[in-house]
Amino acid sequence: MNFIDNPGKLHSFEKRGFEKNIKVEKVSRRSILKGLGITGGFVLAAPVMSRQALAYETGAGKMPHGVVVDPRVFVSVGPDGIVTIVGHRSEMGTGVRTSLPLIVAEEMEADWSRVKVQQAHGDEVKFGNQDTDGSRSTRHYLIPMRQIGASARTMLEQAAAKRWGVPATEVKAVNHEVVHSASGRKLGFGELAADAAKESVPSIEGLKLKDPKNFRYLGKGQVGIVDLHDITTGKAHYGADVRLPGMKYAVIARPPVTGGKLVSFDPDAALKVPGVEKVLKVQGWPWPSKFQPLGGVAVIARNTGAAIKGRDALKLVWDDGPNGKYDSVAYRKELEEASRKPGLVLRKEGDADAALKGADKVIVGEYYVPHLAHVSMETPVAVADVKGDKAEIWAPVQSPGGTREDVAKTLGIPEGNVTVNVTLLGGGFGRKSKCDFALEAALLSKELGAPVKVQWTREDDIHNGFLHTVSVERIEAGLDKSGKVVAWRHRSVAPSIASTFAAGTVHQAPFEIGMGLVDMPFEIANISCENPEAAAFTRIGWFRSVSNIPRAFAVQSMVGEIAQATGRDQKETLLALIGSPRIVKPEVKDLWNYGEPQESYPIDTARLRKAVELVAEKGEWGRKVPKGHGLGIAVHRSFVSYIATIVEVAVDDKGKLTVPRVDTAIDCGTYVNPERIASQIEGAAIMGLSLAKYGEITFKDGKVQQKNFDDFQVVRMDESPVVTNVYIVPPGPDTPPSGVGEPGVPPFAPALINAIFAATGKRIRSLPIGKQLEA
Amino acid sequence: MIKVKINGQEQSWDGDPDLPLLWFLRDEAGLTGTKYGCGQALCGACTVIVDKQAVRACITSVNDVAGREVTTIEGLHPTGDHPVQKAWRQVNVPQCGFCQAGQIMQAAALLMDNPKPSHDQIRESMSGNICRCGCYQRIENAVHLASTGV
Ligand code: FES
Ligand code: FES
């Protein structure tokens, strides 16, 4: 059966979406565009799934274009028995290109060794939402992928039953064949393919999903990623590796200050560089420029090396524009001052002001996290081939659907004329949710009338990115005589991602304040969460785990400070603050819950406690460590998962820091591939250590002062944790799946900082650590 | 005209002799397994082996390798079964995979030089290769596995 090549009968799932327009909420990284009125406020959304079939609901249906549950879109079976399953999300290292097809294979009883994965191009009407961000692929697609697999299996079973003239209830698909046990007859999937394609697609309501106890693959972690062999042999195909006949290579000189403009340029010296063919102006968009290109001057050459050399030879004059005075030292002072005054109150319980005044002791922590750059190993890169009113793109994008929309809009052609081919991504971390680099390639290809690859250099990546915000988080905790925390005031001051879309934005968006500020889970009588104003002077974007980084750093460092002030154990202090097992329901307008319904994904302190207790047990909290070593602990709920980390640090007498051991417990609900969960958490520890130790982008005169891995350092192998142990909390039978890609990052830095205090008695409140331990 | 042997095949180049080997490999010779990560010998993504030594192709010109033998990830082993490659698969090292060609070439060169590296020697000689995804623990385990026999 070839479902994919059988588009004749449009299945009802897609059609149902047309009948039921659902207003987009500000739930997705793309829908922020819609939420801010840049495009229309309505999208098609398919209902996620029927209530009967499911124990829980997710926010999947509210994503742009919702979910498509149709085996003919996702599965085909060849006469040779090869099952092809479409992976419609972008692979950037999480393993999603393996995990989602594996779910389909599990349910359809396909043998994984006879499955091929085919990457979907960007087409959300066909495949449903494709935004690979927000740690939600498994969360949104576990059940839809199971339903797709179960439909395909049912169609194969029906075809076999007809062939044998027996009731469908008597046959059963088992490991790539359908068997009739009464007669001992068997037919392979390949032999049934043609007939199965003629079967009608069963209704979701009637589908029987497998009993999880019969799972062969899900939850087992024994399947390697589909790209493993290609990666180890150099055959894996990333955006950077696309080559087309007649393709030109381009690098672009962009304005050194965000919002700046080209005044003039002299191409002569560049044109003399061997291999350089042309120098072209690139259109830029005014600040705030959303995902549109910044503009500049492109050097077109026969290879990338020549293009880079040509660009170095360009003479350029820029007007730095409105952000030309941005200075991160001065701005930090502004943020700190703002944090010391009242701000917009977002959550208020009891009377924090009075309780702080009446407290026996008030502990104040002002925590700083600077701008960060993603520096995914593969810099932004894209190939475009624009011919007339048609465009084809090859790019490592996290949002192929969004890329398609934006390319169409930028070129002024219908969306249906744009094909977006999704390559592997050499890392994404949120940077590749923005398709500016693909738009640059499209504009240049249109102008040249030839295919073009736009390659960003590492310097471009660091100078012209969409940085993680910069923030001051100020927490005041009031303690009574017994040491109990009776008041909590948290002010968060940081420019918002929304500033990249709407001029004049000074407050953080619900999706940012919902990341560890207003959803703070501690059992405290008097709480005030505030957001003083902060403007943006550069492009701010999503960075793996987003605002959870500064929030977890502040909140969990404060827990350490409270333990320190009361002379109590960190873990006991943490558990006391979390308080009784309960569902936390903060009274907050537009409470953001990662786009998920509260009913399926409440803030559950029992699960938070469990993560702490598990990591404490397995990670041997309280164990004796050598002199100069210290243990620190932190827990954080993000992307509706619960993660606790213990870091052991060693600081020598010169202040040099090493990390002998990391232990992390993650409760991500029902899970698919524990082996990939472990790899995500191992990686998150290293990203957490990188940002804690080194991560800082600074500005002077509006320009980023760092340029490459020498001055924007990341952790290397010789300083990486010697061992990271990962423990997965076993899920209950109906626990919905939750995020994995991002939530490992936030608890790392505060656990490290608490460990450093235990080792040295020094309390670090400003990241990165840099030379602070050397003093 | 510069002549250079790449993965056993003679190649020639009559363009800019200063062209970094990285871009010659990727854009002119079509060997895209070798990656760009920094262009400044800071990340190791472009690591290839020249006459048994790991070198950074981004700061090595085509002229520098004239008359020499260059091995890229594509040429490390005909079926991709070099002990390092096998170990990488056994340990499930990669996440995004983009740094891995450079890591594998660096590890292969290390083992040519030192067939039984210690924990510290592995960590030190691999520390010029950045993995932003953070696969270091597994890289170390895989190098160790490759050195003890896969
Ligand atoms: S690209 Fe050569 S070392 Fe980074
Ligand atoms: S696997 Fe992604 S950079 Fe190493």
Side-chain angles (χ1 to χ4, degrees):
Chain A
M1 80 184 148
N2 195 339
F3 293 128
I4 292 172
D5 297 330
N6 184 16
K9 290 169 277 174
L10 234 196
H11 185 56
S12 58
F13 300 112
E14 271 182 281
K15 284 192 182 153
R16 222 177 288 166
F18 287 87
E19 292 154 22
K20 197 174 173 186
N21 284 349
I22 295 174
K23 188 155 200 249
V24 169
E25 296 185 358
K26 288 180 198 169
V27 292
S28 78
R29 292 182 183 182
R30 258 169 66 210
S31 66
I32 184 171
L33 287 156
K34 305 183 159 85
L36 293 166
I38 282 113
T39 66
F42 290 86
V43 293
L44 307 169
V48 181
M49 54 211 59
S50 76
R51 280 186 178 279
Q52 302 95 293
L54 252 208
Y56 62 87
E57 293 216 30
T58 73
K62 290 179 176 166
M63 298 294 294
H65 297 106
V67 175
V68 171
V69 181
D70 187 341
R72 289 173 305 187
V73 171
F74 285 92
V75 183
S76 67
V77 183
D80 55 357
I82 295 295
V83 171
T84 303
I85 303 175
V86 170
H88 73 305
R89 312 290 272 192
S90 300
E91 180 60 83
M92 53 184 155
T94 62
V96 72
R97 210 169 103 83
T98 302
S99 303
L100 294 191
L102 190 68
I103 300 169
V104 177
E106 176 71 78
E107 272 296 344
M108 76 179 281
E109 275 292 321
D111 168 11
W112 187 247
S113 68
R114 283 178 272 176
V115 170
K116 284 216 168 80
V117 174
Q118 181 187 317
Q119 185 68 38
H121 53 94
D123 186 346
E124 294 190 334
V125 173
K126 182 168 182 185
F127 301 107
N129 182 264
Q130 295 181 271
D131 291 343
T132 314
D133 57 21
S135 299
R136 61 184 137 219
S137 291
T138 303
R139 183 162 110 221
H140 283 179
Y141 282 94
L142 175 59
I143 296 297
M145 289 294 149
R146 288 187 64 187
Q147 291 168 332
I148 287 165
S151 304
R153 175 193 1 107
T154 307
M155 292 162 81
L156 288 157
E157 287 171 344
Q158 283 166 354
K162 270 191 200 153
R163 179 105 48 107
W164 293 322
V166 300
T169 48
E170 284 182 17
V171 307
K172 199 170 156 30
V174 184
N175 197 31
H176 234 83
E177 12 179 68
V178 178
V179 295
H180 182 240
S181 47
S183 63
R185 281 175 290 186
K186 287 177 180 174
L187 281 168
F189 280 7
E191 297 168 275
L192 291 166
D195 285 359
K198 293 181 206 131
E199 290 293 321
S200 61
V201 178
S203 75
I204 295 183
E205 286 73 18
L207 287 175
K208 262 188 87 148
L209 299 185
K210 267 172 93 167
D211 183 336
K213 74 173 192 300
N214 298 326
F215 282 165
R216 301 156 299 150
Y217 305 124
L218 299 198
K220 307 283 193 259
Q222 269 143 19
V223 169
I225 53 171
V226 290
D227 300 299
L228 189 55
H229 199 276
D230 283 352
I231 288 171
T232 58
T233 51
K235 291 193 195 82
H237 210 235
Y238 299 86
D241 303 332
V242 176
R243 292 161 57 81
L244 299 177
M247 185 177 82
K248 305 291 178 197
Y249 295 81
V251 297
I252 299 174
R254 298 175 189 79
V257 178
T258 311
K261 275 204 293 280
L262 183 71
V263 175
S264 64
F265 69 104
D266 176 354
D268 287 356
L271 287 166
K272 292 200 183 90
V273 171
V276 169
E277 294 171 2
K278 263 196 184 96
V279 174
L280 292 173
K281 226 181 125 175
V282 186
Q283 186 187 349
W285 270 253
W287 163 262
S289 47
K290 308 172 191 92
F291 296 167
Q292 296 303 122
L294 296 171
V297 179
V299 176
I300 316 294
R302 64 167 286 163
N303 61 54
T304 315
I308 292 173
K309 205 168 173 183
R311 184 177 68 173
D312 289 345
L314 284 174
K315 290 205 186 70
L316 301 153
V317 181
W318 305 99
D319 168 358
D320 287 342
N323 299 321
K325 291 205 170 62
Y326 188 33
D327 180 303
S328 36
V329 176
Y331 194 56
R332 175 177 182 164
K333 288 214 177 69
E334 275 182 46
L335 295 176
E336 284 168 350
E337 271 158 32
S339 81
R340 292 169 197 152
K341 291 179 208 126
L344 180 66
V345 178
L346 303 165
R347 176 178 174 190
K348 186 175 180 341
E349 282 161 32
D351 187 341
D353 282 350
L356 281 167
K357 276 197 197 100
D360 184 59
K361 190 187 259 177
V362 175
I363 303 166
V364 182
E366 229 172 66
Y367 305 94
Y368 179 72
V369 180
H371 287 300
L372 302 168
H374 304 80
V375 292
S376 53
M377 228 41 233
E378 177 195 43
T379 54
V381 58
V383 172
D385 188 9
V386 179
K387 285 198 184 81
D389 66 349
K390 292 215 165 45
E392 188 159 6
I393 308 288
W394 292 259
V397 283
Q398 288 177 241
S399 175
T403 304
R404 193 179 189 210
E405 282 170 28
D406 285 358
V407 168
K409 252 183 274 168
T410 302
L411 297 180
I413 59 177
E415 215 180 296
N417 289 8
V418 180
T419 305
V420 176
N421 303 287
V422 183
T423 63
L424 290 175
L425 285 67
F429 313 120
R431 171 61 184 91
K432 292 171 184 165
S433 291
K434 295 76 136 175
C435 59
D436 53 329
F437 45 99
L439 302 177
E440 289 175 337
L443 288 168
L444 282 176
S445 175
K446 184 181 172 177
E447 186 156 351
L448 283 166
V452 182
K453 178 189 289 180
V454 170
Q455 173 75 54
W456 286 45
T457 62
R458 180 61 62 198
E459 288 80 2
D460 300 341
D461 180 42
I462 291 179
H463 289 160
N464 295 114
F466 291 79
L467 300 174
H468 171 73
T469 190
V470 49
S471 60
V472 169
E473 307 281 327
R474 180 186 165 96
I475 300 177
E476 293 155 80
L479 279 58
D480 70 11
K481 278 206 176 59
S482 70
K484 185 173 154 57
V485 178
V486 293
W488 181 272
R489 180 159 62 207
H490 183 167
R491 293 196 188 117
S492 172
V493 202
S496 169
I497 289 168
S499 64
T500 302
F501 304 91
T505 304
V506 289
H507 284 296
Q508 297 179 56
F511 72 84
E512 290 166 314
I513 63 172
M515 291 183 175
L517 177 62
V518 296
D519 51 332
M520 193 281 296
F522 296 159
E523 203 166 25
I524 299 171
N526 302 288
I527 294 172
S528 180
C529 300
E530 302 171 24
N531 176 219
E533 296 185 356
F537 301 97
T538 187
R539 297 198 293 189
I540 311 285
W542 293 268
F543 177 105
R544 188 182 187 181
S545 85
V546 202
S547 304
N548 288 295
I549 294 171
R551 300 286 165 54
F553 172 56
V555 172
Q556 297 295 312
S557 292
M558 179 48 81
V559 176
E561 301 215 31
I562 294 166
Q564 171 188 337
T566 54
R568 290 181 188 155
D569 175 72
Q570 285 178 50
K571 183 199 112 192
E572 294 312 321
T573 305
L574 181 54
L575 289 173
L577 278 160
I578 295 170
S580 55
R582 67 198 188 286
I583 302 301
V584 180
K585 292 181 177 155
E587 280 167 37
V588 175
K589 201 172 143 264
D590 299 331
L591 179 65
W592 161 259
N593 193 36
Y594 300 89
E596 304 303 337
Q598 290 285 345
E599 301 72 47
S600 316
Y601 293 95
I603 303 171
D604 184 344
T605 58
R607 292 177 72 182
L608 201 62
R609 293 184 69 95
K610 176 83 207 188
V612 173
E613 280 156 2
L614 182 68
V615 82
E617 182 209 320
K618 301 277 189 190
E620 301 169 284
W621 177 254
R623 69 180 183 267
K624 258 192 113 55
V625 291
K627 198 170 166 289
H629 291 226
L631 296 178
I633 191 167
V635 69
H636 191 69
R637 174 187 183 267
S638 67
F639 304 90
V640 289
S641 285
Y642 303 80
I643 291 94
T645 293
I646 294 173
V647 173
E648 178 183 345
V649 78
V651 183
D652 71 12
D653 47 10
K654 293 197 185 66
K656 188 170 176 281
L657 165 174
T658 49
V659 179
R661 173 171 167 184
V662 178
D663 293 272
T664 292
I666 173 165
D667 176 354
C668 55
T670 299
Y671 54 82
V672 171
N673 193 348
E675 191 276 325
R676 286 294 93 182
I677 294 173
S679 77
Q680 283 300 294
I681 301 300
E682 290 159 19
I686 288 158
M687 190 167 272
L689 184 58
S690 289
L691 73 90
K693 220 172 154 177
Y694 301 119
E696 183 170 32
I697 292 291
T698 57
F699 284 82
K700 197 158 174 47
D701 300 325
K703 298 182 186 80
V704 171
Q705 291 180 288
Q706 291 69 28
K707 57 191 182 309
N708 209 316
F709 287 121
D710 49 352
D711 48 12
F712 186 77
Q713 285 179 257
V714 295
V715 161
R716 294 166 180 275
M717 192 194 268
D718 57 349
E719 53 189 337
S720 76
V722 176
V723 58
T724 297
N725 300 308
V726 181
Y727 317 102
I728 304 177
V729 177
D734 289 323
T735 319
S738 49
V740 172
E742 292 167 272
V745 176
F748 186 89
L752 173 72
I753 295 302
N754 287 334
I756 289 173
F757 179 79
T760 66
K762 278 189 195 158
R763 173 60 61 184
I764 288 173
R765 298 197 182 93
S766 175
L767 293 185
I769 298 164
K771 293 190 188 337
Q772 292 178 74
L773 291 171
E774 290 172 26
Chain B
M1 176 82 76
I2 299 168
K3 284 204 176 347
V4 41
K5 214 175 209 185
I6 299 171
N7 299 332
Q9 273 188 312
E10 188 90 23
Q11 305 252 13
S12 55
W13 172 241
D14 57 5
D16 183 358
D18 291 337
L19 178 69
L21 175 62
L22 170 65
W23 302 117
F24 176 74
L25 291 171
R26 291 184 52 79
D27 299 349
E28 300 288 348
L31 293 164
T32 54
T34 305
K35 304 301 188 210
Y36 166 81
C38 72
Q40 305 286 339
L42 296 165
C43 78
C46 64
T47 305
V48 297
I49 294 176
V50 180
D51 299 341
K52 300 206 161 133
Q53 280 237 315
V55 308
R56 307 296 189 230
C58 67
I59 53 150
T60 304
S61 69
V62 183
N63 202 32
D64 290 338
V65 292
R68 301 176 71 176
E69 278 220 37
V70 177
T71 307
T72 71
I73 185 76
E74 290 93 341
L76 185 60
H77 186 279
T79 56
D81 291 322
H82 184 281
V84 171
Q85 291 170 310
K86 289 208 293 206
W88 242 247
R89 295 195 287 267
Q90 215 159 306
V91 180
N92 281 316
V93 172
Q95 288 182 39
C96 82
F98 197 79
C99 71
Q100 300 297 347
Q103 305 273 7
I104 288 169
M105 297 310 282
Q106 183 72 31
L110 165 64
L111 295 182
M112 273 191 246
D113 193 49
N114 177 0
K116 290 266 179 295
S118 68
H119 165 88
D120 286 339
Q121 285 169 334
I122 296 174
R123 282 167 75 95
E124 209 206 293
S125 39
M126 297 301 296
S127 70
N129 291 69
I130 291 172
C131 175
R132 181 57 165 160
C133 296
C135 303
Y136 297 129
Q137 181 173 324
R138 294 178 189 226
I139 292 172
E140 186 186 331
N141 292 342
V143 176
H144 187 74
L145 179 64
S147 77
T148 50
V150 232

